[in-house]
Amino acid sequence: MTLLRVAEPQEERAHRLEREFQAVLDAAVDAVVLFDHEGRIELLNHAGERMFGYNEQEVIGLKVNILLPEPYRSQHDDYLRHYIEAGEPRIIGIGRELLAKRRDGSEFSAELAVGRVQGTDPPRFVGFIRDITVRRNAEEALRRSEAQLTIAQEIANLGNYVVHADGKFEDYWSPHLYRVLGRRYGEPYIGVYEYLEPMVHPADRARWQGARDELETSARSMDIEYRVIHPDGSLRYVHHIAQTTRRPDGRVLRQVGTLHDITDRRRAEDEARQMQDRIAHFGRISTMGEMAAGIAHEVNQPLTAIATYAQACQRLIAANDFSQEEVEAALNHIGAQALRAGEVIRRLRTFVKNREVRRELLEANRLLDDVVTLAQTDARHNGVRLVLEPSPQSPQVQADAVQIQQVILNLVRNSIDAMLTVPEVRREILLRTSVDSEGDVEFMVADRGTGVDPAAMAELFNPFFTTKPGGTGLGLSISRSIVRAHGGKLWCSANPGGGARFFFTLPAVPASAGSQQ
């Protein structure tokens, strides 16, 4: 069946088209303005009324440029005249962004498109105006955010990247990432991992590749520090963090990462560590200086014995009245005393030697035994008894033996000095190891001396604070730095039996971990 449309009377058709056109105008979200060849407004839709704050009847017959501020107002008349006189489309049929002006004088960002109404003479024009304030504000906010991010990355010396595995989007390098990796911004793009691979220091390459492989296959993130060699040959340290987004089937969709140049920080840390080691070395030498009298006595004893046995041998030989057994016995005594003196010197050299820090697995109880060996002579020389209470659990720590011995020996030396004015019967130092409630290894050095003045307690660990005449005030400060560097803490409290107790802790190494090392 063919549907035939009944002819519509011309007048009715005109009314219908007018109603439809008005409906389109009313439904439009953009402002629509109809104006003649002189730029006088003939129509303004409802959206235009809301946008500009005018009633349509108020603007009929007025120049359309009242909707624009200067310099756009004057420019609009020129554009219209050039089009009518010379057919030059400076604005007609060409969209542009500009500022529009409301009735109250406020201005806003707008997008303007003007077209000619076909079949009209003189020509008539229709303009479409869209308020793009929200879009421009968002663009400006994004621009500011990107600028702030760029500045922040420059200050922090880091850059970021995005790698799209599906190829639907372009990969991204932030501007500062080029500097972090020794490239000039704008150079031809290359994949960040392809560029990094030959740069990674040979000693770090296997570890870097292992982290990369794990990120590709199963891990969701990567956090690694390594060295890179820039194209100019300079060595840099970087901290590389990356995260992976995966598809439901586990395949990589996208990787986002940052590369932070931490060269300055690492160098500063190395310098600080070297300075701390030098200060600690100074502290050990200072402690040995305070123990000089006891050390001299410890060395003099075997030297005196050696001299005595040597003189006895000379007398026997001079009198020509000796047996082989007597001479051998004297020589054996001389050898034993020489070894004794040599062992004292060896221990002292080991203790005061300036050396690199070496962390190793140590038994906490053994650390106390070694310190007692060093401190026993000084303690006897001052009439002080050393009492050991080793932990039955034999806990282990990962530490530098000499540095921890330095801490314990410094505390013992302070305790000896604190008891010089008390009766000799009370001169006793208790050295104890235990495991505290948090699972850390706790060392304690307790004396029965004069104690610590409560007013001085807050200053006790500050550099150059001392209560001893001629003291440097560095011993406890150095000790606290050493303990903190080992992940522990150092503090003091009063001894219930009179005197003071000093405690410090070190993280314990589980027995299972210790057995694997």
Side-chain angles (χ1 to χ4, degrees):
M1 178 183 296
T2 302
L3 296 177
L4 299 176
R5 181 168 182 156
V6 178
E8 184 178 16
Q10 188 70 20
E11 186 177 350
E12 290 185 12
R13 183 172 182 275
H15 286 305
R16 178 177 61 79
L17 291 176
E18 183 178 354
R19 289 194 302 272
E20 291 174 354
F21 176 65
Q22 188 63 48
V24 171
L25 290 178
D26 292 343
V29 295
D30 294 337
V32 179
V33 56
L34 187 67
F35 54 96
D36 63 16
H37 64 290
E38 294 181 343
R40 299 190 180 279
I41 298 174
E42 297 180 348
L43 177 147
L44 181 69
N45 71 341
H46 293 331
E49 291 179 326
R50 292 191 297 270
M51 188 177 296
F52 290 96
Y54 289 105
N55 183 281
E56 182 185 28
Q57 297 304 315
E58 293 179 285
V59 297
I60 297 297
L62 299 180
K63 286 290 193 74
V64 69
N65 62 10
I66 68 166
L67 305 179
L68 303 174
E70 292 292 354
Y72 304 104
R73 176 175 295 182
S74 301
Q75 292 172 354
H76 189 271
D77 286 343
D78 292 340
Y79 293 155
L80 195 60
R81 185 173 63 256
H82 277 90
Y83 179 78
I84 293 173
E85 294 176 357
E88 185 179 348
R90 294 192 178 181
I91 185 172
I92 309 301
I94 302 174
R96 65 182 301 212
E97 290 186 5
L98 41 63
L99 289 178
K101 184 178 181 180
R102 300 185 182 92
R103 180 177 184 173
D104 61 9
S106 60
E107 298 176 1
F108 62 96
S109 298
E111 198 172 60
L112 171 64
V114 178
R116 177 175 177 173
V117 180
Q118 296 299 319
T120 59
D121 190 25
R124 299 167 71 207
F125 303 91
V126 61
F128 297 89
I129 305 170
R130 173 171 296 175
D131 186 342
I132 59 171
T133 303
V134 173
R135 190 185 80 192
R136 289 298 298 272
N137 288 345
E139 291 172 350
E140 178 62 20
L142 179 60
R143 188 194 63 78
R144 287 198 304 269
S145 177
E146 290 177 344
Q148 291 167 357
L149 177 61
T150 298
I151 293 172
Q153 289 192 350
E154 290 177 357
I155 293 173
N157 206 10
L158 63 82
N160 67 291
Y161 65 89
V162 182
V163 175
H164 297 279
D166 56 8
K168 293 182 179 179
F169 303 94
E170 290 185 1
D171 292 349
Y172 169 76
W173 284 41
S174 71
H176 199 67
L177 182 61
Y178 285 82
R179 291 181 58 184
V180 171
L181 296 182
R183 302 188 74 202
R184 288 191 299 272
Y185 182 66
E187 288 184 345
Y189 173 79
I190 183 172
V192 64
Y193 294 114
E194 288 77 8
Y195 181 77
L196 267 173
E197 185 171 4
M199 291 180 62
V200 177
H201 192 283
D204 297 336
R205 191 164 295 157
R207 185 166 55 88
W208 176 82
Q209 189 60 56
R212 282 275 301 113
D213 292 343
E214 189 175 354
L215 187 66
E216 288 284 347
T217 55
S218 58
R220 293 185 59 87
S221 63
M222 176 177 74
D223 190 336
I224 183 175
E225 292 185 7
Y226 54 89
R227 292 163 291 178
V228 295
I229 302 174
H230 273 201
D232 63 3
S234 62
L235 179 69
R236 312 294 293 179
Y237 290 84
V238 295
H239 183 197
H240 190 168
I241 300 176
Q243 288 189 336
T244 295
T245 301
R246 298 183 182 277
R247 300 176 184 272
D249 60 6
R251 288 185 299 163
V252 175
L253 178 64
R254 181 175 60 253
Q255 286 186 7
V256 179
T258 63
L259 280 157
H260 185 189
D261 187 331
I262 58 172
T263 306
D264 293 341
R265 190 193 79 190
R266 288 292 296 269
R267 288 174 179 167
E269 289 174 352
D270 290 342
E271 291 174 1
R273 191 179 301 111
Q274 291 170 7
M275 179 60 70
Q276 182 177 344
D277 291 345
R278 287 194 290 269
I279 292 173
H281 179 230
F282 166 77
R284 291 196 295 273
I285 294 174
S286 177
T287 300
M288 287 297 101
E290 294 176 2
M291 297 170 60
I295 293 170
H297 179 73
E298 181 75 1
V299 175
N300 279 334
Q301 278 188 329
L303 292 180
T304 301
I306 290 171
T308 300
Y309 286 118
Q311 291 169 0
C313 284
Q314 288 175 336
R315 286 194 301 270
L316 290 173
I317 293 172
N320 199 22
D321 182 19
F322 62 90
S323 65
Q324 182 176 346
E325 290 78 9
E326 288 177 320
V327 175
E328 287 181 350
L331 292 175
N332 286 337
H333 284 302
I334 289 173
Q337 293 302 317
L339 290 175
R340 176 185 170 188
E343 179 63 18
V344 172
I345 300 301
R346 185 193 65 79
R347 289 199 304 267
L348 293 177
R349 287 185 62 188
T350 300
F351 186 71
V352 301
K353 184 179 179 182
N354 194 9
R355 52 188 262 297
E356 290 185 0
V357 176
R358 294 192 298 269
R359 301 250 180 129
E360 54 188 336
L361 192 65
L362 303 168
E363 289 188 10
N365 295 340
R366 178 63 184 273
L367 286 170
L368 285 189
D369 291 336
D370 292 341
V371 169
V372 168
T373 302
L374 285 169
Q376 190 67 261
T377 301
D378 191 40
R380 283 199 303 265
H381 182 74
N382 290 283
V384 176
R385 294 177 304 282
L386 299 180
V387 180
L388 287 181
E389 283 190 7
S391 169
Q393 297 167 274
S394 297
Q396 294 180 321
V397 295
Q398 194 81 23
D400 181 279
V402 172
Q403 287 196 342
I404 300 306
Q405 289 170 12
Q406 176 179 354
V407 172
I408 301 172
L409 189 58
N410 183 67
L411 298 179
V412 171
R413 274 295 313 152
N414 288 345
S415 292
I416 290 174
D417 289 342
M419 291 191 293
L420 294 180
T421 58
V422 303
E424 190 167 329
V425 69
R426 285 175 50 85
R427 298 181 190 176
E428 180 179 284
I429 298 175
L430 174 63
L431 293 94
R432 185 177 69 196
T433 57
S434 60
V435 178
D436 66 14
S437 59
E438 297 181 0
D440 292 334
V441 179
E442 183 180 272
F443 295 79
M444 184 191 77
V445 177
D447 63 60
R448 297 181 178 276
T450 55
V452 179
D453 185 347
M457 191 74 75
E459 303 286 335
L460 204 56
F461 297 100
N462 291 338
F464 308 111
F465 176 81
T466 181
T467 58
K468 294 190 293 185
T472 64
L474 290 174
L476 288 176
S477 176
I478 293 171
S479 297
R480 183 176 62 175
S481 297
I482 291 173
V483 171
R484 283 181 173 176
H486 281 76
K489 55 185 178 180
L490 170 64
W491 71 97
C492 173
S493 68
N495 192 345
R501 296 191 300 179
F502 285 82
F503 300 87
F504 71 91
T505 59
L506 296 178
V509 176
S512 57
S515 63
Q516 295 172 5
Q517 296 185 17

